[in-house]
Amino acid sequence: MSKHLVIVESPAKAKTLEKYLGKEFKVLASYGHVRDLIPKKGAVDPTHDFAMKYQLIEKNSKHVEEICQQMQKADALYLATDPDREGEAISWHLYELLKERNLLKSKPVHRIAFHEITKKAVLAAVDHPRELSLELINAQQARRGLDYLVGFNLSPLLWKKIRRGLSAGRVQSPALRMIVERDKEISEFVPQEYWTIEASLNPKQSKKNQLFKAKLAEYQGKKIEQFSITDKTSAEEIKADLLKQANGKLRIIKINKSQRKRQPAAPFTTSTLQQEAVRKLGFTAQRTMRVAQQLYEGIDFGEGATGLITYMRTDSVNLSEDALTELRTLIEDKYGKASLPDVPRLFKTRAKNAQEAHEAIRPTMPSVLPQQIKSALTTDQFKLYDLIWKRAVASQMIHATLDLVAIDFGCGEVTNRFRANGSTLTSPGFMQVYQESVDDGKAKEDEDEKLLPPLNEGEWITLENIENHQHFTEPPPSFTEASLVKTLEEHGIGRPSTYATIISTLQQREYVTLENKRFCPTDVGKIVNKFLTEYFTQYVDYDFTAKLEDALDDIAAGQNAYIPLMREFWGPFIKQVEEIQENVQRKDVTQEAMSENCPKCEKPLSIRLGRRGRFVGCTGYPDCDYTRSLEENREESLQPQVIEDRICPKCASSLLIKRGKYGKFIGCSGYPDCDHMESLQKQEDTHVTCPECHKGTMIKRKSRFGTFFYSCNQYPECKYAIKNPPVEETCPTCAWPILTIKTTKRRGIEKVCPQKECDYAVPYENSDQQEKQS
């Protein structure tokens, strides 16, 4: 008979622990929380020191009954729930239930915590038990109590002032504010036109495919800034002057060479794991945490279930001494001693009060390579384990070294200067294993990634052409899951275990939608945000929310008591609720005044909220029933912006910046008689002749999904398009007029034929070297 009863949250975790602990231990799962606040008013009583009334969660009652039956037979209880506040609270609720039923009597109760489900970690935890942490329990009770008080008092207010069925949360509301404010910033953004000038240079006049670009950096002694050239006329004048002064050649006046060391990223925290899984794998935050939970609880790959990663809810970047030793041994064996720094890398935690766990997310057994256990994992499990393994290994490898070169070219007078930048990866270091993705909106320094030919100061270079490029400034991008999680973390809103819940709650309430992997606020979401920011400003303020999180951390650390915090929050909050209840009318929240009168009755019109969203309606309702869609109103109020110094290439009418279904674009003022339109985004001409129509050239375009492609500039007459950058070289296999540059993780950079039926492909760098030798 089992002498000891061990309680964990999930059955998968129970199965793994039972294998490690042996016959004297019986391991059962609670299936998550076993008690929660009663779902009605009065669950938290502010008049009696915020006393909380709990009840058994009905769906878990049968699991609680089994635990009670086994506890009657056991000599001791081991509470082995997750090593964070939530886990501590689950253990406490179980303890309280068993104590109420008089099942503990004089039996010892132990709390054990481990951050990886391996035999060594579990047995060590059993050998070193502790008592339940009252500080962590109080911090979780305070968090749950505050969330209850906000939800049960704000939600009825939203029903009365906006519409039934709405709700508001303490942490979700600031997150909604972020999304709404970003959407407003985008809609109010006015693009500014600017021009850049580039020289196409050829170090060997006979080799057209060796052309490289240099950007105008100085003209007539003045440095060229972003808005130095703002119209086509000025750009054309400067281009003509430079061509005249250059007379077909530029002179290399300076070559700067330097080295840059690029350091690896820290091992994963919950936040960074969610961000990278969004960027690299296309996972949602919820999907990431679900798969990470499976890897943590244990996978059977031949020797019974074993936890593959450490605990996945953490804001620490520390690695244990054992982990560092194992990682360094693996790196030396697999990648060579040269890939290993002299001493282990240590990282500093950026998150304030990082204490949810003692370690970063890492593989529990680095020697278990992802490919070795691929057959035992699901596709999602393999992808995420591979990501975690690579990040942890790379974090302990030597830096990458890049050779940078910046070349200045004089054009005619010395005061005219073009610059070309390039880099060469001389020592890959950690980059041979893993490289961190960049955020949306971070400019990629493409010019620093180009390979430049060997050149010398004083050398004259053939100038093939000078090109002008029109650009428009772009608004900040809408939030993706990755950028939203990062911003929440930067503001200190929520904690590692809450990011996925915040995002899913906003979607479930239909306050936001995810379109093309970007968050857009709904009409209801905008109204709710407007109500909260106008009447509960303090409670959706980013700093206020972050300070409240810090106060909860102080309670967990034993530095403060939780009842004074509850009192401090509750007094001003309920006073504000009562004041809004009394003094604010529904129309103040759901209606927005317009400077326009009703065409039927001459009374003022307003923007109102209906079942299907916002619309324009008469304030004289119900006497006057005039309504129209808000989209009609937008179209009437939007004044297209005329683009100076440009005319339509089809009909010579003015060109306008218009707004369409997928955002702003350039269109002809003669529409619908003329249907000419262009993307507002930069359209880079590759100067590669279209292989299908032989008239146009291939233009780099941006799709509505944010990806780039290359298509003929004669569209819609010619609809030829390809995914990869074109090169004006004939395919030696099928004689197609162009090749493309294709990059894949498996094969690297190659020149390939874009024709599906042709399999021509050669390494890009090797082909260039062969051409140079010839």
Side-chain angles (χ1 to χ4, degrees):
M1 186 182 75
S2 303
K3 295 180 181 179
H4 310 300
L5 179 62
V6 182
I7 308 298
V8 295
E9 294 103 324
S10 74
K13 193 173 174 182
K15 187 177 179 181
T16 307
L17 259 67
E18 204 156 53
K19 180 190 74 172
Y20 295 150
L21 294 174
K23 294 181 180 179
E24 290 194 349
F25 291 83
K26 175 70 175 177
V27 186
L28 293 178
S30 70
Y31 288 79
H33 278 278
V34 294
R35 288 200 313 180
D36 197 7
L37 294 171
I38 59 173
K40 56 185 179 181
K41 204 165 185 178
V44 179
D45 187 358
T47 60
H48 292 88
D49 282 340
F50 299 91
M52 300 185 189
K53 299 175 184 177
Y54 294 102
Q55 69 177 25
L56 186 67
I57 296 174
E58 188 176 348
K59 68 176 184 177
N60 282 346
S61 59
K62 63 180 180 180
H63 306 304
V64 171
E65 290 305 316
E66 186 181 2
I67 290 170
C68 291
Q69 289 173 15
Q70 292 296 329
M71 193 66 238
Q72 288 177 331
K73 307 172 188 176
D75 295 334
L77 174 66
Y78 286 82
L79 298 165
T81 49
D82 286 344
D84 56 15
R85 293 176 194 165
E86 288 293 314
E88 204 74 16
I90 293 170
S91 286
W92 177 72
H93 284 300
L94 272 167
Y95 172 78
E96 289 292 310
L97 276 171
L98 294 171
K99 191 170 71 171
E100 285 173 8
R101 299 188 185 190
N102 202 29
L103 292 173
L104 296 178
K105 298 178 183 177
S106 58
K107 297 177 182 180
V109 177
H110 306 292
R111 172 72 168 114
I112 59 174
F114 38 83
H115 293 84
E116 57 184 72
I117 304 180
T118 58
K119 188 172 184 178
K120 179 182 176 181
V122 171
L123 293 180
V126 172
D127 289 341
H128 300 88
R130 61 170 173 82
E131 294 183 353
L132 283 166
S133 169
L134 189 60
E135 291 82 7
L136 289 176
I137 294 164
N138 285 341
Q140 198 278 337
Q141 282 205 100
R143 180 186 295 277
R144 184 69 188 92
L146 288 171
D147 289 343
Y148 170 88
L149 291 172
V150 171
F152 262 78
N153 287 281
L154 270 189
S155 297
L157 200 58
L158 291 175
W159 301 347
K160 187 174 181 181
K161 305 302 179 184
I162 302 177
R163 69 158 63 148
R164 291 196 64 81
L166 300 179
S167 58
R170 179 182 61 85
V171 182
Q172 291 87 353
S173 297
L176 174 62
R177 178 186 170 191
M178 281 182 184
I179 295 170
V180 173
E181 287 181 347
R182 176 62 60 86
D183 182 74
K184 184 180 179 184
E185 193 176 350
I186 293 169
S187 65
E188 293 178 351
F189 181 81
V190 178
Q192 289 181 265
E193 182 183 5
Y194 66 98
W195 290 72
T196 56
I197 298 177
E198 285 185 336
S200 294
L201 302 174
N202 193 342
K204 294 181 181 179
Q205 193 170 359
S206 62
K207 299 291 183 182
K208 292 282 184 184
N209 57 348
Q210 290 182 352
L211 291 181
F212 64 94
K213 305 285 187 181
K215 195 173 180 179
L216 183 64
E218 187 178 351
Y219 179 66
Q220 295 182 353
K222 293 182 180 179
K223 185 178 178 182
I224 299 296
E225 307 284 356
Q226 182 179 15
F227 296 107
S228 296
I229 309 169
T230 57
D231 59 84
K232 184 178 181 180
T233 301
S234 300
E236 291 292 342
E237 289 174 356
I238 294 171
K239 173 183 173 179
D241 182 43
L242 291 170
L243 283 170
K244 182 179 178 182
Q245 291 195 51
N247 195 26
K249 287 186 179 294
L250 298 185
R251 182 172 176 270
I252 299 173
I253 56 178
K254 190 176 183 181
I255 298 178
N256 285 322
K257 293 183 178 179
S258 61
Q259 274 197 341
R260 179 191 297 169
K261 292 180 180 179
R262 187 174 294 177
Q263 304 296 338
F268 280 129
T269 62
T270 303
S271 167
T272 54
L273 176 63
Q274 290 176 359
Q275 292 172 50
E276 280 290 84
V278 170
R279 298 180 191 125
K280 279 188 160 65
L281 307 179
F283 287 9
T284 63
Q286 272 197 320
R287 182 178 173 187
T288 301
M289 297 309 292
R290 182 172 62 250
V291 177
Q293 182 86 34
Q294 295 164 3
L295 295 174
Y296 166 69
E297 290 180 347
I299 303 293
D300 188 348
F301 54 93
E303 300 178 1
T306 303
L308 290 180
I309 64 169
T310 52
Y311 191 53
M312 64 286 162
R313 293 187 180 91
T314 173
D315 45 18
S316 170
V317 290
N318 296 328
L319 294 173
S320 67
E321 290 294 331
D322 288 347
L324 289 171
T325 301
E326 290 180 49
L327 287 167
R328 287 176 64 84
T329 301
L330 170 75
I331 291 165
E332 186 172 354
D333 292 344
K334 187 172 175 60
Y335 302 103
K337 196 168 184 178
S339 297
L340 202 61
D342 294 335
V343 295
R345 289 186 181 276
L346 302 177
F347 297 90
K348 288 186 177 180
T349 301
R350 293 180 182 178
K352 188 179 178 182
N353 294 335
Q355 57 185 23
E356 293 288 0
H358 301 305
E359 275 200 88
I361 304 169
R362 62 165 176 85
T364 57
M365 297 170 288
S367 59
V368 178
L369 307 185
Q371 286 293 340
Q372 291 176 338
I373 57 171
K374 186 174 182 179
S375 60
L377 304 176
T378 66
T379 302
D380 281 4
Q381 288 170 351
F382 171 75
K383 287 180 178 179
L384 198 64
Y385 179 65
D386 186 58
L387 193 69
I388 293 167
W389 186 91
K390 286 178 177 177
R391 175 86 165 218
V393 171
S395 75
Q396 292 305 311
M397 294 179 72
I398 199 167
H399 60 263
T401 305
L402 293 91
D403 282 343
L404 307 180
V405 60
I407 306 176
D408 288 339
F409 301 87
C411 177
E413 300 176 13
V414 180
T415 51
N416 300 322
R417 178 170 56 87
F418 285 85
R419 168 164 282 203
N421 294 290
S423 69
T424 305
L425 185 63
T426 57
S427 175
F430 74 92
M431 289 173 65
Q432 63 189 299
V433 177
Y434 179 87
Q435 189 172 359
E436 187 178 25
S437 299
V438 296
D439 282 323
D440 256 3
K442 269 192 181 178
K444 293 184 180 180
E445 298 178 356
D446 292 333
E447 68 273 10
D448 288 345
E449 302 302 322
K450 293 184 298 187
L451 293 175
L452 298 176
L455 299 168
N456 301 306
E457 284 190 15
E459 187 178 346
W460 287 90
I461 303 296
T462 301
L463 173 66
E464 293 287 344
N465 193 18
I466 292 179
E467 302 160 355
N468 296 336
H469 298 290
Q470 183 187 37
H471 310 265
F472 291 91
T473 55
E474 297 180 5
S478 300
F479 283 113
T480 61
E481 285 207 36
S483 57
L484 182 60
V485 166
K486 184 175 183 180
T487 308
L488 289 170
E489 185 183 37
E490 287 173 348
H491 283 284
I493 296 170
R495 282 297 179 262
S497 58
T498 64
Y499 299 136
T501 305
I502 290 170
I503 291 169
S504 63
T505 301
L506 290 176
Q507 291 176 279
Q508 288 166 7
R509 291 174 178 172
E510 298 183 352
Y511 291 166
V512 301
T513 57
L514 199 58
E515 299 175 10
N516 298 327
K517 297 186 178 181
R518 297 185 181 278
F519 288 110
C520 299
T522 62
D523 285 340
V524 173
K526 291 176 183 177
I527 293 291
V528 169
N529 177 70
K530 179 188 173 189
F531 173 73
L532 295 173
T533 52
E534 284 187 10
Y535 300 109
F536 291 90
T537 309
Q538 178 183 6
Y539 303 101
V540 291
D541 179 74
Y542 303 141
D543 288 339
F544 175 83
T545 307
K547 286 176 182 176
L548 195 55
E549 290 290 351
D550 291 341
L552 291 168
D553 287 340
D554 290 341
I555 294 168
Q559 297 171 2
N560 281 324
Y562 83 95
I563 291 178
L565 173 68
M566 302 283 282
R567 285 197 191 113
E568 185 181 346
F569 176 88
W570 174 250
F573 174 74
I574 193 61
K575 183 179 178 182
Q576 183 75 356
V577 169
E578 291 168 351
E579 186 176 327
I580 301 305
Q581 181 88 15
E582 187 69 28
N583 299 320
V584 176
Q585 298 180 42
R586 188 176 186 276
K587 67 178 182 180
D588 297 332
V589 180
T590 60
Q591 295 188 27
E592 184 180 328
M594 296 176 62
S595 57
E596 183 183 347
N597 291 334
C598 175
K600 275 190 175 183
C601 68
E602 294 297 322
K603 289 183 179 178
L605 292 176
S606 65
I607 299 173
R608 315 175 79 171
L609 180 66
R611 290 183 180 180
R612 296 182 179 87
R614 301 172 81 202
F615 67 97
V616 176
C618 181
T619 55
Y621 179 84
D623 297 328
C624 177
D625 61 357
Y626 175 80
T627 60
R628 71 167 183 253
S629 75
L630 191 57
E631 289 301 319
E632 284 182 56
N633 184 67
R634 282 178 183 158
E635 292 301 322
E636 291 172 8
S637 63
L638 282 173
Q639 294 296 324
Q641 182 182 349
V642 178
I643 300 176
E644 299 292 340
D645 303 318
R646 283 204 64 194
I647 59 173
C648 175
K650 282 188 175 181
C651 68
S653 300
S654 299
L655 290 177
L656 307 173
I657 297 177
K658 298 182 175 183
R659 183 188 296 271
K661 182 179 180 181
Y662 302 111
K664 294 180 179 178
F665 67 97
I666 297 173
C668 181
S669 60
Y671 181 83
D673 296 327
C674 177
D675 61 358
H676 174 78
M677 59 182 180
E678 306 169 12
S679 169
L680 195 60
Q681 314 292 339
K682 171 186 175 182
Q683 292 186 351
E684 179 184 329
D685 194 338
T686 64
H687 301 288
V688 174
T689 304
C690 174
E692 193 161 283
C693 71
H694 304 288
K695 295 178 182 178
T697 56
M698 301 299 289
I699 298 289
K700 182 179 181 181
R701 302 180 189 270
K702 190 174 185 180
S703 75
R704 59 190 174 94
F705 302 107
T707 56
F708 289 99
F709 67 99
Y710 299 80
S711 65
C712 181
N713 65 2
Q714 298 298 304
Y715 180 85
E717 285 78 14
C718 177
K719 297 182 179 180
Y720 183 76
I722 52 177
K723 290 182 179 180
N724 300 311
V727 179
E728 198 155 6
E729 290 180 39
T730 302
C731 175
T733 302
C734 70
W736 188 249
I738 68 168
L739 296 175
T740 62
I741 307 301
K742 184 176 182 180
T743 304
T744 61
K745 289 182 180 179
R746 178 178 295 180
R747 300 174 64 92
I749 306 174
E750 294 181 308
K751 281 185 183 178
V752 303
C753 181
Q755 296 293 86
K756 290 182 180 179
E757 61 273 12
C758 181
D759 59 359
Y760 176 76
V762 294
Y764 182 46
E765 292 183 1
N766 290 346
S767 65
D768 281 351
Q769 289 168 5
Q770 290 166 8
E771 286 162 1
K772 287 176 186 176
Q773 290 168 2
S774 64

